[in-house]
Amino acid sequence: MSLERVFGGIEPEVRAILERALEGRDLSVDEAIVLCEARGPSLHALAAVADHVRRAQVGDTVGYVVNRNINFTNVCIKACRFCAFSRTRRSEEGYFLPNDEVVRRALEARGFGATEVCIQAGLVSGVDANFYVRLVRDLKAAAPDLHVHAFSPEELKHAAKESGWSVRRVLEELKDAGLGSVPGTSAEVLDDRVRNRIAPGRITTAEWVDVITTAHAVGLRTTSTIMYGHVETDRERMNHLDLLRSIQRETGGFTEFVPLSFVHEEAPMTLRNQIPELRPGPTGHDVIRMYAIARLVLGSTIANLQVSWVKEGLRQAQSLLACGANDLGGTLMNESISTAAGAAHGQLQHPSSLRRMIREANRVPVERSTRYDVLRTFSLQPAADEDGPLDRVDDPDAIFGSYEKLTQDARFRFRLPVLPAPT
């Protein structure tokens, strides 16, 4: 039996689209939708082509960043139906970390080799742009070499509204304070029909685009994401990718694209049966299709395709390295949002574990910065001296804490921060 016979079952229309992708042509939304139906040999061919295109676009390195997540409050005025993390201000589990505790956690992370802190949180009435600016200034004063990757478009819109400022002014003030980049989260699926089903009252598609493009305009890079596997259609997913491609061609401001599987187990819209047509997250093959199609649609404009090991688990994350992905994200140290929704893959990945998975995939491990600058390239064979302090952490909950413990810690019970008068 020849390889030609093995791949002989590829659907003719899929074959033609994959040929065009191999020729370096842009795929249309309609062509991407056809690929969403790839099954059997067509799915295998889709993954193989995505892997080939990935190699041509970014080579055989796989990156990761040593970072820490810090979610400074879980209190939120929104009630997104997919979010199991948020609490009301009257909740016994609501917390708010003071700035000195956020700084302490950042310095602790730096001591374990972190080059980035990722900061996102709930939306609290009365917390305005001055709070966010002060937080960034405090972080940069304590750790000037630490990259601050912080505040979703939803948070930035909230800060502007609470302050009576424009989004541009908020971003300019934060950049002046030392903000390094912005997470492209709160995107979910960039279609208002979907958004109104899973998160009524959330930032609209147009508002998300405005915040992101304004960030790019003031010189702040952002990530880009999709959260999928709930109520969206294939066309809505592919329109989302097409919109990101259009923004990138205009601004060049995206550092990466990160598909995020919907974690359904503890999501309010699952527990309360709020949406009859709700799906329990994407299937394994659905995830493969998403990554492979993302590489073919976005790879020429957004070169870096990141896997969320928190959502997928490390074994599935490794398999996605053969489907177009070239990055395993961050070590995290703390993870609250996906864990609260039911993700079961922990809150820390040791750098050595990430390197082992990369090497097992016959790829070259690279520690990178938030902006994808290479900080260290590792050999294909482990070296005796390559492990760092984070690799020696045996009990991350004991050192870094956990979301469950944080919600029960009386020291951080929710109260509004007292802010100094703006200068």
Side-chain angles (χ1 to χ4, degrees), residues 249-270:
R249 283 180 171 157
E250 177 187 342
T251 70
F254 289 132
T255 52
E256 73 242 56
F257 175 58
V258 192
L260 302 169
S261 294
F262 167 52
V263 180
H264 77 284
E265 284 84 352
E266 299 296 330
M269 61 186 178
T270 298

Side-chain angles (χ1 to χ4, degrees), residues 8-31:
I10 302 171
E11 294 291 332
E13 191 174 13
V14 170
R15 181 185 293 273
I17 293 168
L18 295 180
E19 291 283 2
R20 285 196 284 276
L22 288 170
E23 292 167 359
R25 300 184 188 181
D26 283 343
L27 298 189
S28 68
V29 168
D30 287 340
E31 288 172 326

Side-chain angles (χ1 to χ4, degrees), residues 287-360:
V287 173
I288 290 172
R289 281 187 289 270
M290 171 58 79
Y291 274 84
I293 295 169
R295 171 56 65 187
L296 300 185
V297 172
L298 296 176
S300 64
T301 53
I302 306 174
N304 298 305
L305 178 57
Q306 182 185 123
V307 184
S308 170
W309 58 260
V310 170
K311 305 285 191 183
E312 309 301 344
L314 202 53
R315 285 189 294 180
Q316 172 83 331
Q318 184 192 43
S319 72
L320 292 169
L321 296 179
C323 303
N326 70 304
D327 194 83
L328 289 179
T331 55
L332 301 189
M333 303 189 200
N334 292 111
E335 202 296 309
S336 302
I337 296 173
S338 296
T339 301
H345 302 298
Q347 64 172 358
L348 166 69
Q349 284 296 341
H350 298 96
S352 58
S353 297
L354 298 175
R355 292 193 298 270
R356 181 171 66 87
M357 287 295 178
I358 294 166
R359 285 169 168 139
E360 174 62 24

